[in-house]
Amino acid sequence: MSQPTPVIRVYLLDDHTIVRRGLRAVLELEDDIEVVGESGTVAEAIPQILELAPDIAVLDGRLPDGSGIDVCRQVRSENPDIRALILTSYDDDEALVNAILAGASGYVLKQVDEGALVNGIRAVRRGQSLIDPVVAMRVVDRMRNGIPADGLGQLTHVESQIVDLIAEGLTNKQIGERLYIAEKTVKNHVTSLLAKLGVQRRTQAAVLASQQRRERTS
């Protein structure tokens, strides 16, 4: 007897009610997708998403009080199991960079057709990324400007481990549990490794360290 297909729980964030209604109508036609919540502002979305813990949050790129990227960054820092898909009207390189750094699984224009959006949500649920690898490399190249050439070599063994765990989407608390060190100690290590790599954000450190390792082994 075959097992039933798991239902994908989706949260919708868009400041236009008619857009949310349209998205809900499209998604709820699918037997394997359930819309568990929706809102129109960052302030409403963050606590609701964290409480509902959907599989995927479909987030508008620009909102009256912030952006879906802001929501993605904060939500994933507290619950990395929640995947995010940025749905936007703007083909903006800077926003794409920020979406990748925030840990988004996809950056999709609202002009996408219904079938592609549904399939994209299913792909993200399976752990796939909707961001083209070529685009991701372009982001890496942009971030590499100004990074010390020997930055990775300056990292201690523990700092290297922490960078790898950041790349897996773990929070400082989760990293501490994995490495059996205090969360405050992890925070101190993160501050140190960011300075050595010449970046400001932990996600930048993970991407850049990964790129440097590939260059050294190629």
Side-chain angles (χ1 to χ4, degrees):
M1 181 175 175
S2 61
Q3 294 293 325
T5 303
V7 173
I8 305 170
R9 303 173 67 255
V10 175
Y11 185 95
L12 303 174
L13 169 60
D14 196 292
D15 60 324
H16 294 99
T17 304
I18 193 168
V19 173
R20 296 202 307 273
R21 287 178 178 172
L23 288 171
R24 178 183 282 271
V26 167
L27 298 179
E28 290 190 336
L29 288 173
E30 306 299 322
D31 293 336
D32 60 337
I33 297 178
E34 176 189 5
V35 177
V36 296
E38 63 177 72
S39 60
T41 66
V42 170
E44 293 173 334
I46 291 174
Q48 287 184 22
I49 293 173
L50 290 173
E51 179 180 357
L52 293 168
D55 299 306
I56 301 171
V58 179
L59 310 171
D60 189 9
R62 299 186 183 184
L63 296 152
D65 59 339
S67 74
I69 295 170
D70 298 329
V71 176
C72 174
R73 182 180 300 110
Q74 183 163 339
V75 165
R76 284 186 52 79
S77 71
E78 297 191 39
N79 186 348
D81 291 333
I82 300 174
R83 296 183 173 97
L85 181 62
I86 307 299
L87 190 61
T88 179
S89 302
Y90 306 94
D91 188 5
D92 182 342
D93 272 2
E94 191 63 33
L96 174 57
V97 170
N98 290 331
I100 293 173
L101 294 177
S105 296
Y107 185 89
V108 179
L109 296 180
K110 288 184 177 179
Q111 293 90 322
V112 66
D113 65 61
E114 296 175 0
L117 177 61
V118 169
N119 288 333
I121 287 174
R122 290 177 178 138
V124 168
R125 181 64 182 90
R126 292 193 298 268
Q128 299 175 16
S129 173
L130 300 187
I131 298 173
D132 191 302
V134 174
V135 175
M137 285 304 301
R138 185 179 72 201
V139 171
V140 171
D141 289 339
R142 290 183 60 180
M143 291 191 303
R144 288 176 61 194
N145 294 330
I147 183 172
D150 61 344
L152 187 61
Q154 296 180 38
L155 299 185
T156 66
H157 176 65
V158 173
E159 289 169 349
S160 294
Q161 288 180 301
I162 289 173
V163 167
D164 290 338
L165 294 174
I166 289 173
E168 291 181 22
L170 273 64
T171 63
N172 284 352
K173 181 179 180 181
Q174 292 169 326
I175 292 171
E177 292 171 351
R178 182 77 65 86
L179 299 180
Y180 303 102
I181 57 178
E183 182 178 357
K184 184 176 180 181
T185 303
V186 175
K187 185 176 180 180
N188 291 338
H189 281 304
V190 170
T191 300
S192 173
L193 69 87
L194 291 181
K196 290 177 181 178
L197 292 175
V199 296
Q200 296 181 337
R201 295 175 182 166
R202 47 195 283 133
T203 44
Q204 288 175 306
V207 172
L208 291 170
S210 176
Q211 174 65 11
Q212 284 193 358
R213 287 193 179 96
R214 283 196 296 269
E215 289 177 349
R216 288 187 176 188
T217 56
S218 62

